[in-house]
Amino acid sequence: MVKLNLKKSMEQYDVVIIGGACAGLTAALYTARRELKTLVITKTYGGQAAITTEIENYPGTGTILGPELMNKFKQQAETAGAQIKLGEVNQVTKIEEGKFEIKSTIGAFESKAVILAYGLEQRTLGVPGEKKLTGRGVAYCATCDAPFFKSKIVGVVGGGNSSFDAAEYLSNIAKKVYLFNRSDKFRAEQVLIDQVNAAGNVESMNFTEIKEFIGEQKLEKVILLNNQTQQETELNLDGVFIEIGWITKTDMIKDLVNLDERGYVIVDNENKTSAPGIFAAGDITNTPFKQAVISAGDGAKAAMSTAKYIQMLRGKNGSIGLAPDLTR
Amino acid sequence: MSELNLTDANFDQEVKNYKDKPVLVDFFATWCGPCQVMGPIIDELSEELAGSGIKIAKLNVDESQAKAGEYGVMSIPTIIIFKNGEEKERLLGIQDKASLKQKLEAL
């Protein structure tokens, strides 16, 4: 039984990878194959890809279910020798060059290098009642929760692709769909906008923000604010889907590595961050496109840079053992 | 797989009338991506807790709509932990095995 987390008994790894989806699991596959002792700590398996119903643009797999593809990623990394544990990292501290301490809900670990690969999290509105009624009418995943709103009246917040996707999907299930948009412009692709307009039961409300969610056991109504006239109105709704994009979670790393103005981790073309020994891959980085295949490639790059870094450390310290083969 | 499959018919007997030890119920549907991620975690948990008296159960919300409705489940996966028939804790979305185990053993 691990009761005491004494510093000297902290479990040691060559690399700790934070995040277990396309980027993190690919990085783990590569570092494990380089015979680096690898630990992946992740809140969930597969990240955004695992909540995508079907993936049609991951080469070599044809059309595949998101969770199925992610399961293959995980198995392959484990077969290569990586350890994958479910948990949440809450602190990364640099102790010295080539020595990091990672504190998590499953204990503290020490590693020579760290790969940040935990992607993005869904943006919330941050208004009263939202948290309390999440899962009780306030929802963030249309493909998951839409069937609970069969023949009900629902709202969708946002003006981008994901909100139009959700509105289109919901229009087939719900009786009526309101689409709340902060401005009078949509960022969604025209083809999606046309689909939503053709649905017949979707009503767009522009310059409209949700100010509050109201309900006891479940959502009953919302207070809407017209941000032009400042007029407030109430609207009875059974459900609201919030589809306003994804953000980086940077509290833990903002003092460790440089971030760009949007909060993404800045990496160079070898996936190095501004801090030696810390690498980053996938959606969390300032890589311009967020795609499964790009994250996987990024993960591989971060892993190879990590191997190079650890080899450099070994050279410096003159420690025994052969450095991993970098030409493989 | 040792976890219990709950239905509208056996829910009361298996959950409400179960005394002294907690029961974890995973409300899921076959078409929901995050539920498919949660599934193997529930399976592992069930194996690890076999023989402890703690029950690990699954309820398909499509097949057992009455119970899903009774507990106001409007998002899946939802996990509800019961003890002595009472709801003790409700968790939304994917959960990790270690913290579920900790919660169950603490009850």
Side-chain angles (χ1 to χ4, degrees):
Chain A
M1 285 284 134
V2 185
K3 285 279 178 215
L4 293 165
N5 265 326
L6 294 175
K7 286 230 158 163
K8 56 185 166 191
S9 67
M10 224 185 315
E11 231 182 309
Q12 295 190 353
Y13 288 87
D14 289 319
V15 55
V16 169
I17 299 168
I18 308 171
C22 298
L25 294 174
T26 306
L29 169 66
Y30 272 74
T31 55
R33 280 172 55 85
R34 286 287 156 79
E35 292 179 8
L36 298 177
K37 193 179 173 197
T38 301
L39 172 66
V40 178
I41 305 175
T42 182
K43 266 170 82 174
T44 158
Y45 298 126
Q48 282 185 56
I51 60 167
T52 309
T53 343
E54 278 179 345
I55 295 177
E56 295 180 333
N57 57 6
Y58 197 84
T61 57
T63 296
I64 188 164
L65 293 172
E68 194 185 339
L69 179 64
M70 286 301 98
N71 217 14
K72 284 176 188 276
F73 270 57
K74 176 174 170 263
Q75 279 168 1
Q76 201 169 346
E78 280 176 327
T79 305
Q83 288 180 47
I84 302 170
K85 293 184 177 172
L86 283 173
E88 189 172 359
V89 173
N90 26 52
Q91 203 184 353
V92 178
T93 316
K94 182 179 173 173
I95 298 167
E96 59 187 62
E97 176 76 28
K99 196 174 183 181
F100 296 92
E101 186 187 340
I102 295 98
K103 283 193 182 140
S104 77
T105 52
I106 51 168
F109 304 91
E110 199 182 289
S111 69
K112 297 187 177 81
V114 176
I115 300 177
L116 307 171
Y118 56 87
L120 303 173
E121 63 177 31
Q122 267 176 317
R123 191 192 291 273
T124 60
L125 287 174
V127 300
E130 182 180 9
K131 221 173 187 170
K132 179 189 145 196
L133 292 165
T134 294
R136 297 170 183 270
V138 176
Y140 299 87
C141 174
T143 52
C144 309
D145 301 338
F148 292 105
F149 299 93
K150 197 165 182 281
S151 309
K152 299 271 171 73
I153 298 169
V154 300
V156 176
V157 182
N161 282 340
S162 55
S163 65
F164 274 80
D165 255 340
E168 197 274 330
Y169 187 61
L170 282 158
S171 70
N172 298 310
I173 295 166
K175 186 160 85 185
K176 165 107 191 174
V177 182
Y178 290 96
L179 188 55
F180 305 120
N181 190 21
R182 277 200 309 197
S183 68
D184 61 349
K185 291 178 187 65
F186 298 122
R187 281 167 291 110
E189 289 165 28
Q190 194 56 44
V191 54
L192 282 169
I193 296 175
D194 293 343
Q195 278 172 358
V196 164
N197 286 337
N201 59 346
V202 182
E203 185 181 327
S204 293
M205 294 178 78
N206 292 337
F207 299 114
T208 303
E209 298 174 28
I210 292 183
K211 223 187 141 202
E212 190 174 347
F213 293 95
I214 297 168
E216 275 309 309
Q217 284 309 305
K218 61 188 190 66
L219 179 69
E220 289 156 23
K221 60 187 174 188
V222 294
I223 296 178
L224 298 173
L225 171 77
N226 182 311
N227 59 25
Q228 299 293 296
T229 62
Q230 300 303 317
Q231 198 187 345
E232 289 183 13
T233 46
E234 279 187 11
L235 182 65
N236 291 339
L237 288 175
D238 300 300
V240 172
F241 288 78
I242 297 165
E243 301 280 354
I244 51 173
W246 299 76
I247 50 166
T248 50
K249 198 178 131 201
T250 53
D251 300 0
M252 186 172 79
I253 51 167
K254 64 177 193 292
D255 298 327
L256 277 176
V257 296
N258 288 345
L259 307 174
D260 74 6
E261 68 288 351
R262 291 182 306 162
Y264 294 110
V265 177
I266 299 171
V267 290
D268 66 9
N269 63 5
E270 292 181 17
N271 289 78
K272 289 184 205 148
T273 68
S274 57
I278 304 181
F279 304 84
D283 289 357
I284 195 175
T285 69
N286 59 343
T287 299
F289 306 106
K290 311 295 180 201
Q291 291 292 315
V293 65
I294 290 173
S295 291
D298 244 10
K301 278 161 64 188
M304 291 167 109
S305 294
T306 301
K308 213 157 112 183
Y309 173 78
I310 291 173
Q311 191 182 34
M312 187 269 298
L313 285 179
R314 283 175 179 159
K316 244 185 211 170
N317 300 337
S319 61
I320 47 160
L322 284 173
D325 177 11
L326 279 175
T327 57
R328 196 160 65 182
Chain B
M1 265 155 256
S2 48
E3 73 269 5
L4 182 70
N5 282 312
L6 293 173
T7 61
D8 285 341
N10 70 359
F11 192 93
D12 287 358
Q13 185 201 334
E14 297 285 356
V15 180
K16 281 196 178 164
N17 299 336
Y18 193 64
K19 302 280 178 232
D20 304 327
K21 292 275 184 186
V23 185
L24 178 151
V25 184
D26 171 26
F27 292 82
F28 78 102
T30 50
W31 41 260
C32 136
C35 301
Q36 290 168 34
V37 176
M38 201 60 225
I41 298 168
I42 294 292
D43 294 345
E44 283 174 32
L45 190 66
S46 168
E47 271 160 37
E48 285 176 25
L49 291 170
S52 68
I54 297 170
K55 270 194 203 178
I56 306 296
K58 287 182 176 182
L59 183 134
N60 183 321
V61 297
D62 287 327
E63 290 166 5
S64 305
Q65 293 182 2
K67 284 296 163 192
E70 184 182 324
Y71 288 97
V73 173
M74 294 168 89
S75 173
I76 44 175
T78 286
I79 285 174
I80 304 181
I81 299 174
F82 295 88
K83 196 175 173 188
N84 295 322
E86 271 175 46
E87 177 175 335
K88 293 287 178 195
E89 187 146 6
R90 181 180 291 233
L91 304 154
L92 297 168
I94 297 163
Q95 307 297 321
D96 70 272
K97 191 173 69 183
S99 54
L100 285 176
K101 202 171 169 182
Q102 210 172 20
K103 285 185 167 79
L104 286 165
E105 285 173 342
L107 272 177

